[in-house]
Structure formats: structure tokens, C-alpha cells
């Protein structure tokens, strides 16, 4: 009783009443946070409805295939463009305009054609050779549909862009006609010519064309790289799967070995750190002593002031003395921490070993991350597809595309059928009514940006819920292991499946509430990142400083919420209480064991970091030598690649994710066992009536003195 009253007088005392019949995760429990569960289900139904509406209105072909100035796809079946799969720019010289980068549209008529031009020609030349039928027919295929014999003057045809003023030898690239560039003796040419007629009486150079083509290439280069990357994946996918399987086996072996090597790894690292710091102290003393009597070495740092060359400070004895003092302090702090925290470090290592043992009894837990991965993959796929369909929703919208920035009608909506009858063509010579994007005037189209933001927010909520479900499920399974008095005989059958059923049936609302809080913070961080991107060119220093502070604060808040959510889900899995009560219990339990929390957290992070580096590094090095054909035995088996780094980075990233998936199970296991261990110490005293549920190893580390003192207090 003395122990309980002492605990209740502390700021983080435990006011809970313990159930003497408690033997692990409570089976008889009730639904928690029902209101949040209802809201969560309604949001999911609304999200599905949003996806259906986006699917009805959207058309992904609008971003896959080129679109001409009439809003029609090049190569679309059932249209006049069915056999015209390539997009041609009437006057590609206009594509050098900054408008290309602003609106992603070149301010000239764009027409679907069956093939690109293969010769130089101008409309003026066609008029001069209008009695040459072959010349006329060839040029007409690059004019607007329905153009036969010109009823307009030459000036009117060129103004309305019924026909291009010139055509240039081109090649199809990404379904678009680009000039056929080549280099001769270091000089840029187009079809072996350095100059050509632009169709309006001027001579232009190939360099002008290059600048115009670059204006489009900046938008399209990613697609070319994407095709090559796709080819690399197509030829190396099975080798990537083999490498990822190897990563899975290595991760599993590392977790099994941790049962025997956790302490060895940690103490080797600690001894190495002490040795490195000790060598640093000796080196600083040697430098300090060797500078004795050297002219100028006895000057102080204050005497020489601020210097841009850091090597100047290394010539001073005072610098090395300061380094030596700092390293001595670090060495003393490390040694004192090891002396005073030695038992807590031993407990942390024992919990790590116990975690490996628990996973050995519940092997199915290692494969649960696959379920989490599938759920997250579904969320990502649904979000991406919905975003694409929403981005391609609506009917074609046409806007005035002017050649100059002085036209007041530039970028306003227009109707192609009636555009030539308006005053815009007179006030803005050369202006065109061209396809801009897809949109509409309905409620859905007017608030498309709001729906896109909702799409992002709900995506974050669902992803966090998937992770929370996994954490709660694993916590319940490992808690069943810890609270089994005789291991493994008392471990319930199918602990992982039972825990998953409890989490879904009773605690969907609690998991949704925790996920909602985290999603709100992450959404705010995304908005802050967007504002930071917009303010990069701003000269307002205060706004930048304030934004930087907000980003830092919300980053810290996100880390804290993730940590608290993780421990809250453990308490939910064990006791079945609502989110707020479990969060309060977890917080006070952690505060009463704050030093153990800090030690365990750092020891676990270090060992799991070593594991991730080992798995990712070993598999990555093996993949590098294989894909670069540096393994003689497998040289002929390695696929031919455009970029060897494509499968290599995929293997490295995949290996890291696999290692992270396995080790996240291990980390969740250790965190669960730790909270159960803290609960065990507070509930029980090691007597026959209140025996400890901890492993014999942890029992030995606590020592007879601590156990006997707890018995006396009880």
C-alpha cells in the first residue's frame, strides 16, 4: 500500500484501480469512440462517391495523348484523327515564348497529322507553285481540315492560321513533330541547313528552332525518361524480385540473431565510441604539446578575431586545448551515464532479446506488414486515380492565346466557331482561340480545387488509419505473449488474428480519431511547405522567419503525436478503453518511467538502424555489382539497361522498405513489451500471490534487492 500512496502523490502518479484478475488483453470490451467511427464511415462513403463522380466526368486520355487546338485526341478512334497520331505545331518558333512555361501551351495552332513534314516549304512557295498539284497536295495535308483552295488572301490565311506559314523537316518525338536537328562540324543544322525561310519574308537560323524546341522539351523530357525507365523495369523486374526476396531473408535472419547478439552489438558500439573519443583526447593533447614554442601559437582566438580560413585556428594551442576539454567532458558524461544507467541499459537489451523471442513464438506477425502495405497501396492507388480523373474532368475550355503580352484579351475564354467574327483578331493581330484545358461551370467543376484538397486530406487519414490498425493489432498480439504466465503454453491460439478482430470490431473509432489528429497536422505541414515554396522569391524576411518557425513547430508536433499515438494504441489493445483515456494512461505511465523510455528508445533505434544499414547496404552492393556486370559468373545473365541506377535504386529502396517493415514489427514488439513490463512492475511485486509475468532474464536483472523491497512495501 505504501507504494501505491507514494505513486499517487507524485505529479505522474497512477490513479487507476488494478483488476486482480487481469491476465492480458481484455476479451470482454465495448466499442470506443463511436461518434468518430460513424464520421469515419461517412467520410469513406463520401470519398467513394467523390471517386465515382470524378470517374464519370474525368478522362485520363486527356493527359496521356496529345490534344489539338480543337480539344480532340490525336489517334482517337471514331474521329477524323483516328489515323493522325502525331501533333504538329504550325509555327514552332512561337514555342520559345515564356507563355509555354506559364500555361504549358504553345501559342500557335496545333494540328493532328499522320506524319511529320520531311522538307522545307512555305505557304508563299505553295502559292507560287499552285499549279503544281503534287506540291499543293503535299502542303495541304498540314493545313486545317476543310482547307481546299484558298478563298482568302495570303495575309488572311496566315493571320487566321488556316495553313502554317512554313513547314520544317521534322521527326516524331513523344507523338509530336520536332525539327530534325543534327550537327555538322560543330554547327547546328536542320536537314543539313543552317538557315531557312520563315514564310513571312525573313531568314531564320537553326538556333532559333532549337530555342523553340527547348521550350516544349522542358515539358516533355520527363516522358522520354519515363519510357526508358519503363523499358528498364520490363527487362529487370524478375531480378529485382529476387533481390527483394534476398532482402527479406537477410532481415529475418538479423531479427533472429538479435536474440543472441543485441548486447554484443550495443557494447561493441559503446566501447568503440569511448575509444574514438579517447583517441581524440590524445590527439588534441599531442597537437597542443607539439605547438609549444611555435611562434604565434600562444595567441588567443580573441586576438586573431574572425577568420574565414579555419586552418588558422588549428595553428593555435588554445584551439586544441578547447577541443581536448570538450572531448574530456563528453568522455566523462558517457562513462557516468554507463555507470548510473547500467541496469536500465541491461533491461533495454533484455527487452530487445525478449522481443526476438516473442516474434519467434508469433511468426505470423512478421508478415502482417504485407497487409499494411496492401492497405496503403490501395489508398495510394485510389488517391492517384481520383486525382487524375478530377484533373481531367470537364469539357474543353478555349482561351485567347496572343503573341504579345500587351493584348488585353489574352487568356480570356473564347468560342472557336465565332472567334474570327469578334474584334479580338483586329485588336490583337495573330491572336488564336486555342484549346487550354478541361473545365466547366457546374458545382463540381467550380470547386474542383476544394475536392482535390479533400482528396489529399482523406488520403492522409486513411494511410494513418492503416498504420494505426497494424500497430494496434501487433500490440495486442505481443501483449498476449507477455501476459502469458507460462510461455509458450499460456499464449492464446491465433493471437494476431484475435487482436486484429478486436481492433476492427471495437476500436475503429479510436484508431480513426488518432489518425485524424495526425492527418490534420500533416495536412497543415503540406500547406506550410506550399506557402514556403511560394514565398521563396519574397523579400519579406519576417514572413520567412515566421514560416520557418511554424514548420519547425509542426514537425516536432507530428513526431510527438506519432510517438503518443503508438503508445496509445498499445494501451487500447491491452485494456480496450477509448482514445483519450488510453492516451492519458500511456502518457503518465511513460512519465513514471521516463529514463527507461529514453534508454530503451535510443538502444532500440541504434540496433534497428544497424539492421537497416546492414540489409540495405549488403543487398544494394550485391545489386550494384550484378547490374553493372561486375560479377563474372553472372555477366551474361545481367539485362541490358538504359540506366542501371533504375533497378539499383528500386532494389535499395525496396530493401529498405522490407527491412523497415520487418523491423517496425520488432520495434512495436519491444515498445509493447516495455509498457507491459512497466505495468507488471506496478501491478505485481514478485510474491506468490502477485508474481511477475516478465521473463526470468528480466527478473534476474532487476535483482533480489529491488524485488524484496517491493515485497516489503506491499
Amino acid at each position: 500500500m505504501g507504494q501505491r500512496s507514494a505513486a499517487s502523490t507524485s505529479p505522474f502518479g497512477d490513479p487507476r484501480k488494478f483488476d486482480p484478475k487481469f491476465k492480458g488483453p481484455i476479451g470482454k470490451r465495448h466499442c470506443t469512440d463511436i461518434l468518430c467511427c460513424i464520421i469515419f464511415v461517412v467520410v469513406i462513403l463520401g470519398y467513394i462517391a467523390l471517386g465515382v463522380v470524378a470517374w464519370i466526368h474525368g478522362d485520363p486520355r486527356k493527359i496521356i495523348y496529345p490534344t489539338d487546338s480543337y480539344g480532340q485526341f490525336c489517334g482517337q478512334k471514331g474521329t477524323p484523327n483516328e489515323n493522325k497520331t502525331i501533333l504538329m505545331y504550325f509555327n514552332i518558333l512561337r514555342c520559345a515564348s515564356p507563355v509555354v512555361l506559364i500555361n504549358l501551351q504553345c501559342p500557335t495552332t496545333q494540328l493532328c497529322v499522320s506524319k511529320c513534314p520531311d522538307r522545307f516549304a512555305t505557304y508563299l512557295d505553295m502559292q507560287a507553285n499552285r499549279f503544281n498539284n503534287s506540291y499543293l497536295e503535299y502542303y495541304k495535308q498540314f493545313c486545317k481540315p476543310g482547307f481546299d483552295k484558298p478563298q482568302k488572301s495570303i495575309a488572311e490565311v496566315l493571320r487566321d492560321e488556316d495553313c502554317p506559314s512554313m513547314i520544317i523537316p521534322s521527326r516524331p518525338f513523344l507523338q509530336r513533330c520536332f525539327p530534325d536537328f543534327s550537327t555538322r562540324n560543330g554547327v547546328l543544322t536542320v536537314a543539313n541547313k543552317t538557315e531557312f525561310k520563315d514564310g513571312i519574308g525573313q531568314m531564320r537560323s537553326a538556333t532559333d528552332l532549337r530555342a523553340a524546341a527547348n521550350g516544349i522539351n522542358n515539358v516533355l523530357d520527363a516522358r522520354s525518361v519515363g519510357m526508358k525507365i519503363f523499358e528498364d523495369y520490363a527487362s529487370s523486374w524478375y531480378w529485382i524480385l529476387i533481390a527483394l526476396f534476398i532482402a527479406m531473408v537477410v532481415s529475418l535472419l538479423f531479427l533472429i540473431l538479435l536474440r543472441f547478439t543485441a548486447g554484443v552489438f550495443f557494447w561493441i558500439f559503446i566501447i568503440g565510441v569511448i575509444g574514438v573519443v579517447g583517441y581524440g583526447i590524445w590527439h588534441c593533447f599531442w597537437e597542443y604539446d607539439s605547438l609549444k614554442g611555435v611562434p604565434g601559437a600562444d595567441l588567443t582566438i580573441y586576438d586573431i578575431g574572425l577568420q574565414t580560413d579555419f586552418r588558422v585556428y588549428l595553428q593555435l594551442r588554445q584551439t586544441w586545448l578547447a577541443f581536448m576539454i570538450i572531448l574530456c567532458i563528453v568522455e566523462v558524461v558517457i562513462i557516468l551515464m554507463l555507470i548510473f544507467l547500467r541496469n536500465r541499459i541491461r533491461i533495454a537489451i533484455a527487452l530487445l532479446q525478449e522481443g526476438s523471442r516473442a516474434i519467434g513464438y508469433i511468426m505470423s506477425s512478421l508478415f502482417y506488414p504485407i497487409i499494411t502495405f496492401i492497405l496503403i497501396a490501395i489508398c495510394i492507388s485510389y488517391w492517384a486515380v481520383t486525382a487524375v480523373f478530377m484533373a481531367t474532368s470537364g469539357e474543353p475550355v478555349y482561351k485567347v492565346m496572343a503573341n504579345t503580352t500587351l493584348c488585353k484579351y489574352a487568356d480570356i475564354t473564347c468560342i472557336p466557331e465565332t472567334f474570327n467574327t469578334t474584334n479580338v483578331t483586329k485588336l490583337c493581330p495573330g491572336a488564336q482561340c486555342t484549346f487550354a484545358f478541361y473545365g466547366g461551370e457546374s458545382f463540381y467543376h467550380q470547386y474542383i480545387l476544394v475536392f482535390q484538397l479533400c482528396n489529399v486530406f482523406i488520403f492522409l487519414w486513411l494511410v494513418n488509419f492503416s498504420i494505426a490498425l497494424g500497430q494496434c493489432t501487433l500490440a495486442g498480439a505481443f501483449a498476449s505473449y507477455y501476459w502469458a504466465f507460462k510461455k509458450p503454453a499460456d499464449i492464446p491460439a491465433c493471437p494476431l488474428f484475435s487482436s486484429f478482430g478486436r481492433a476492427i470490431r471495437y476500436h475503429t473509432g479510436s484508431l480513426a480519431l488518432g489518425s485524424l489528429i495526425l492527418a490534420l497536422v500533416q495536412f497543415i505541414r503540406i500547406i506550410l511547405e506550399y506557402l514556403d515554396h511560394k514565398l521563396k522569391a519574397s523579400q519579406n524576411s519576417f514572413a520567412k522567419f515566421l514560416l520557418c518557425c511554424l514548420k519547425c513547430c509542426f514537425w516536432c508536433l507530428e513526431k510527438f503525436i506519432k510517438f503518443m499515438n503508438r503508445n496509445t494504441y498499445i494501451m487500447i489493445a491491452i485494456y480496450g478503453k477509448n482514445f483519450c483515456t488510453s492516451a492519458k494512461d500511456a502518457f503518465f505511465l511513460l512519465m513514471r518511467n521516463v529514463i527507461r523510455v529514453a534508454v530503451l528508445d535510443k538502444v532500440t533505434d541504434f540496433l534497428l538502424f544497424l539492421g537497416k544499414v546492414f540489409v540495405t547496404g549488403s543487398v544494394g552492393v550485391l545489386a550494384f555489382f550484378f547490374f553493372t556486370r561486375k560479377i563474372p559468373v553472372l555477366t551474361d545473365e545481367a539485362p541490358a539497361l538504359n540506366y542501371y541506377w533504375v533497378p539499383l535504386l528500386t532494389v535499395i529502396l525496396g530493401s529498405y522498405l522490407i527491412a523497415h517493415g520487418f523491423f517496425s514489427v520488432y520495434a512495436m514488439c519491444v515498445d509493447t513489451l516495455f509498457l507491459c513490463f512497466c505495468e507488471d512492475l506496478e501491478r505485481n511485486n514478485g510474491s506468490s500471490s502477485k508474481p511477475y509475468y516478465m521473463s526470468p532474464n528480466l527478473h534476474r536483472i532487476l535483482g533480489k534487492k529491488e524485488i524484496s523491497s517491493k515485497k516489503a512495501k506491499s
Side-chain angles (χ1 to χ4, degrees), residues 88-90 117-123 135 138-143 163-170 196-199:
M88 189 192 79
Y89 300 92
F90 267 30
D118 58 6
R119 68 191 73 171
F120 282 105
T122 67
Y123 184 76
Y135 193 101
Y138 179 81
Y139 202 93
K140 278 170 47 181
Q141 65 181 317
F142 303 110
C143 297
C163 279
S165 62
M166 62 176 177
I167 56 175
I168 301 168
S170 306
F196 57 92
K197 298 177 181 179
D198 65 358

Side-chain angles (χ1 to χ4, degrees), residues 265-328:
F265 281 154
F266 180 78
W267 289 114
I268 288 176
F269 173 75
I270 291 296
I271 293 172
V273 170
I274 293 176
V276 170
V277 176
Y279 170 78
I281 294 172
W282 175 83
H283 182 77
C284 291
F285 175 78
W286 182 82
E287 291 283 358
Y288 175 79
D289 187 66
S290 64
L291 289 174
K292 186 177 181 180
V294 176
D298 291 326
L299 293 174
T300 65
I301 297 176
Y302 179 79
D303 292 334
I304 65 173
L306 182 64
Q307 300 291 328
T308 56
D309 189 357
F310 184 75
R311 290 174 296 179
V312 175
Y313 297 104
L314 299 181
Q315 307 302 319
L316 303 178
R317 299 185 73 203
Q318 189 183 64
T319 302
W320 293 106
L321 178 63
F323 285 161
M324 184 171 61
I325 293 173
I326 293 172
L327 290 178
C328 285

Side-chain angles (χ1 to χ4, degrees), residues 207-263:
T207 307
D208 296 332
L209 277 179
R210 168 62 72 183
N214 284 340
I216 305 173
N217 278 334
N218 290 335
V219 180
L220 303 177
D221 278 348
R223 292 185 64 181
S224 174
V225 175
M227 291 299 295
K228 292 182 180 179
I229 290 175
F230 179 80
E231 292 173 359
D232 289 342
Y233 278 129
S235 60
S236 62
W237 63 270
Y238 46 91
W239 291 109
I240 294 175
L241 291 180
I242 292 174
L244 296 182
F245 177 78
I246 295 173
M248 184 179 68
V249 174
V250 174
S251 299
L252 182 59
L253 291 175
F254 186 86
L255 288 181
I256 295 174
L257 290 175
L258 273 182
R259 182 187 303 185
F260 312 101
T261 59

Side-chain angles (χ1 to χ4, degrees), residues 685-706:
N685 54 22
S687 63
S688 58
S689 60
K690 293 183 177 181
Y692 285 126
Y693 285 79
M694 66 186 70
S695 66
N697 188 24
L698 281 169
H699 198 283
R700 284 193 302 270
I701 292 172
L702 283 177
K704 295 180 180 179
K705 182 177 179 180
E706 182 174 347

